[in-house]
Amino acid sequence: MMTSQQKLETILSRYEGVAADLIPVLQDVQDEFNYLPKDELKIVAGRLQVSLTRVYSVATFFKMFSLEPRGKHLIRVCLGTACHLRGGQHLVETVGRRLNVEPGHATEDLQFSLETVGCLGSCAQAPLMMIDAKYFGRMAVDKVPKILKPYKQ
Amino acid sequence: MPKFESMNHLEEYRGRLLSSRNPQEPQVLVCGGPGCLPVGSEEVAAAFQAELKQRGLNGKVVLKESGCQGLCAKAVKVMFRPQEIAYQQVTAEDVPEIVEETLVKGKIIDKFCYQDPDDGSVKAYKSKVPFYQGQRLIVLGKMDLIDPTSLDDYLAAGGYQALQKVFDGMSPEAVIDAVERSGLRGRGGGGFPTGRKWRLCRQAPGDIKYLICNGDEGDPGAFMDRAVMEGDPHAVLEGMIIGAYAIGAIQGYIYVRHEYPLAVKRLALAIDQARDAGLLGADLLGSGFSFDVKISKGAGAFVCGEETALIASMEGDIGEPHPRPPYPAVAGLWGKPTVINNVETWANIPAIMSHGPEWYAAIGTENSKGTKVFSLVGAVNHTGLVEVPMGTTLRQMVYDLGGGIRGGGEFKAVQTGGPSGGCIPKQFLDLPVDYDSLQSVGSIMGSGGMIVMDETSCMVDVARYFLSFLHDESCGKCTPCREGTKHLLEILTEITNGNGTEEHIPLMEELCDAMAAASLCGLGQSAVNPVLSTLKYFREEYEAHIREKKCPALVCRPLLKYTVDPETCTGCLACVRECPADAIHGEAAEPHLIDQELCVKCGMCHAVCKFDAVKVES
């Protein structure tokens, strides 16, 4: 079992340690830790020789980064144009209500995070959602409970 | 796969490869494209694998997972070669029957074939299906032919022959001349002539030049580039290598949005394969030319589709655009001359080089040459990915390819160009689609999203939707865009909430003028298009919201009233259980009643009612 510091060192060892590596390093940190922990961000800033404000600016500018711990399963509900027209908003509300979570946040038990996405790129099967790497197309609000079930513990 | 030392070496390999393959060998290609994946294509492919193995057909029938086969509405698609039989709506449970009947006995099963809705005739062969007739497949040509994870498949289909032709005696200037003569314009939306961009970059002083493939397909409602990156990644690479040779670039990058994990995976595999085969790296095919490609993953920002913002994020900064000039072709990544083209633009290059610029320029219209890939989605029967010659009319796309409006409904508008585009009404259905014509009606070509809307779409809500998207995605650097999108969104929200006033329309028009004139980049300049185009063509819908407090399309929630029809209601309690506001009262087997005071108009009762007993009015 690697410590947090070892995990971070493994990530940093893959890069040259220049400012341009900031976004890919943050992506790797998020992949590894599931969010961007504050202590790790401080180390990243030091090693890439960029200010902590710049790290924070990048981490808050881009949608994929989370400064809060995220749930074990990431639910992404598409709100692209085709999904919007086919009830994507109803879908995200239903999922949120079922799990008692607002989009952009994680459930209390950290089992799920709920996010909305600009477009997942499977517009012909709107409305669409993803749980982790699995797509669920042609969704309807009444399909939600059955789909969520296997992911609940 | 050997490392090719020379063009002859590659050609010998290709020859051996082709002679080792039997063109009559039966092949099953299960579509693994963006449309079929969410509907279970992996399960279908696994079922074929298991069934073929069980029947001892391994080695006799070739099974492949292909890129997007186009007709997403009929997912999961399966193609049988060499006959080009196109099956549709295949599930894993259907596979044993299909293997038995079609592969073993050679019989076509009608129920898996496209059926003409008019006369019920069965169209088993791809060439007979109306969706594919009228298309001209250049970029999507290999989608249902190859396994995108196989370099051998790409080579067998003529891949990297364009590169050989370029290395075989074409100077970089000759390549640029050819691209210029082809008339190819940028497929990302701007429509800048590709050859001219390359020439500017080649002529820019400096030894170090870069090349970027923009795969940050951010327009909601568009998945053309995703399909190409996932379905034919080597075509993108081949285009990039040819471009790099033409401009003298040493390093290329493919910028892919992180929402496309499979595209990242396929491109990474293709890059590794190309490197191992000597098609990337030092001294490609013994030509003396060296070039390599890296993937740069986006982190989720629509504005990064704008080239200067994209470059800023590749340099490790937030994705804020910069004023142009200088253009990236002169001062781009790390301040070096950089060519940025979109995925589809790069994927066109090999075909242009192989067939010649005159061949390409003969397709399309006066100022828009070649084909364009569109994601045809929304309220049409045949949603999917299409590639048509420039100049194809909207009517052809909606009715001939798209099979008309879903549910026999009425066409209302087609939205092109994503959040930077506009809504085009019925009177322009016969408009030939190209860069100039779309602009002339207040929209843009954009990257190729084409969202068809029927009478169930509210155009004020559509404008509000896009402004909400743009307000969220505006980087905040320049005031006209940051504040303009905010105020437009606020006004549109007021109107859709039933609080609109007569002053709102002229106020929006004034805001739009200022934003279009003063915003720093395309995001803010074109953010006005969804508003202006709907105001221009659907003003009566705005007026209904403002004056009568009604939403004719029954979309804007605060203007709706939900009631239960006591005659139809069976008292099943489904709506009572689902109502988030506990606004529905009723006992089992008794008609339910909605408390209008408590109702939050979320539409949940309407969605869950199996008996169509929940009525909506405005």
Side-chain angles (χ1 to χ4, degrees), chain B residues 292-310:
Chain B
D292 211 336
V293 173
K294 279 186 199 160
I295 293 176
S296 186
K297 269 198 296 178
F302 174 70
V303 71
C304 287
E306 198 278 342
E307 56 186 16
T308 61
L310 186 152

Side-chain angles (χ1 to χ4, degrees), chain B residues 278-391:
Chain B
L279 293 158
L280 282 176
D283 190 18
L284 308 187
L285 298 178
S287 65
F289 173 69
S290 302
F291 177 65
D292 211 336
V293 173
K294 279 186 199 160
I295 293 176
S296 186
K297 269 198 296 178
F302 174 70
V303 71
C304 287
E306 198 278 342
E307 56 186 16
T308 61
L310 186 152
I311 288 172
S313 82
M314 284 182 60
E315 292 172 349
D317 220 329
I318 59 172
E320 278 184 348
H322 296 280
R324 299 178 303 182
Y327 287 90
V330 177
L333 188 63
W334 320 120
K336 306 292 182 197
T338 303
V339 155
I340 304 188
N341 281 127
N342 149 279
V343 171
E344 189 183 333
T345 314
W346 290 119
N348 267 296
I349 298 294
I352 292 172
M353 289 301 143
S354 292
H355 301 284
E358 287 71 26
W359 165 84
Y360 195 80
I363 307 165
T365 61
E366 179 71 32
N367 291 317
S368 305
K369 300 300 187 191
T371 59
K372 178 77 193 83
V373 183
F374 289 99
S375 78
L376 182 63
V377 297
V380 283
N381 283 310
H382 302 158
T383 52
L385 203 65
V386 299
E387 181 175 8
V388 291
M390 293 277 192

Side-chain angles (χ1 to χ4, degrees), chain B residues 5-12 163-164 167-168 285 287:
Chain B
E5 308 282 344
S6 67
M7 284 173 275
N8 281 342
H9 188 185
L10 171 58
E11 221 30 57
E12 278 167 26
L163 183 67
Q164 286 172 276
F167 283 167
D168 199 15
L285 298 178
S287 65

